[in-house]
Amino acid sequence: MVNRKPRTVMYSRKRENKTNYLKRLKLLLSRKGRLVVRFTNKRVIAQLVEFTPKGDKVLVGVDSSVLRKSGWQYSCKNLPAAYLTGFLLGKKVAEKKYKGEMVFDTGFKSPLHKGKYYAFLKGVLDAGVNVLHSGKDLFPDDKKIQGAHIQDYAGKMKGAHNEHNKVQFAQYLKSNAAPESISSAFAQVKQKLMKA
């Protein structure tokens, strides 16, 4: 007779790749608020979450689709939108007068240096919120945050590959948003968020 080890059944959230319990435990042991950010196929969802004995409590939450109200006609999940969403969340956290430090919670994702997650984090920091991080070399440069890379690419593609340009920026063109003017749109939306 073969002596078999009993099969361990993982928590359903772990099976469905929704929660990394080891990472979550490390974040909870810090006893600090968690700055939670998740990227979906269409938007950025961000929250300030505190752990309580009854479960997580969301203190502030923001969805990047709310940027549309400020005039943002471009993608709600690209690098400039990530920064603007972080900036908006940071403003809301500052309004709540949240004093504690926060830790950055990216879930299962390992953020890439100078990528969207760090653009989001820079937006939160620029709004005046205190989040633990390891240095300035993580963040994309200001031109990239403002969408200059998208603008430059659209400019290069406009003359030579007009059909490709229409396919590449189909969603922008559908909403009457010219990819060549994304940097100025970024500046206008940021100004509106600062005044709000």
Side-chain angles (χ1 to χ4, degrees):
M1 186 172 173
V2 179
N3 190 6
R4 290 189 180 163
K5 224 174 152 181
R7 200 178 113 202
T8 304
V9 178
M10 294 189 291
Y11 293 120
S12 64
R13 290 190 63 84
K14 187 171 184 177
R15 282 195 313 265
E16 295 164 3
N17 280 338
K18 289 183 178 176
T19 302
N20 180 342
Y21 285 101
L22 189 61
K23 188 174 182 181
R24 178 179 164 79
L25 180 62
K26 286 179 184 176
L27 292 171
L28 293 179
L29 287 174
S30 71
R31 299 193 187 282
K32 299 181 188 311
R34 291 183 359 255
L35 179 65
V36 178
V37 63
R38 301 294 185 262
F39 285 82
T40 70
N41 289 337
K42 293 188 177 181
R43 57 199 171 129
V44 183
I45 301 168
Q47 299 170 330
L48 168 58
V49 179
E50 270 191 346
F51 176 75
T52 66
K54 291 184 178 180
D56 286 349
K57 182 180 178 186
V58 177
L59 303 177
V60 181
V62 170
D63 182 318
S64 62
S65 61
V66 80
L67 296 174
R68 299 269 186 236
K69 292 178 184 173
S70 300
W72 184 252
Q73 296 299 314
Y74 300 90
S75 169
C76 285
K77 63 171 184 164
N78 64 9
L79 199 132
Y83 174 89
L84 291 170
T85 306
F87 189 78
L88 180 59
L89 181 76
K91 291 231 355 142
K92 290 192 174 201
V93 169
E95 284 169 15
K96 280 253 184 193
K97 294 183 170 62
Y98 184 81
K99 297 292 182 192
E101 278 186 329
M102 290 183 259
V103 291
F104 195 35
D105 181 352
T106 59
F108 277 98
K109 300 290 182 184
S110 296
L112 297 172
H113 280 40
K114 304 185 188 296
K116 289 194 279 189
Y117 283 94
Y118 288 118
F120 169 84
L121 180 58
K122 188 170 189 331
V124 174
L125 295 170
D126 286 354
V129 176
N130 190 11
V131 183
L132 295 173
H133 63 286
S134 60
K136 291 181 180 177
D137 62 329
L138 299 171
F139 306 120
D141 61 48
D142 289 339
K143 282 188 174 183
K144 195 166 185 181
I145 284 173
Q146 294 164 12
H149 62 296
I150 298 168
Q151 191 168 300
D152 293 345
Y153 180 74
K156 287 176 189 172
M157 298 304 287
K158 194 168 188 177
H161 309 282
N162 201 23
E163 287 305 313
H164 177 71
N165 201 29
K166 284 179 184 173
V167 173
Q168 183 75 26
F169 296 107
Q171 292 299 318
Y172 290 1
L173 298 172
K174 193 186 285 184
S175 59
N176 293 325
E180 301 86 26
S181 56
I182 191 169
S183 293
S184 58
F186 174 90
Q188 289 170 2
V189 171
K190 188 175 177 186
Q191 274 300 109
K192 285 181 185 174
L193 294 177
M194 287 170 91
K195 290 174 184 172

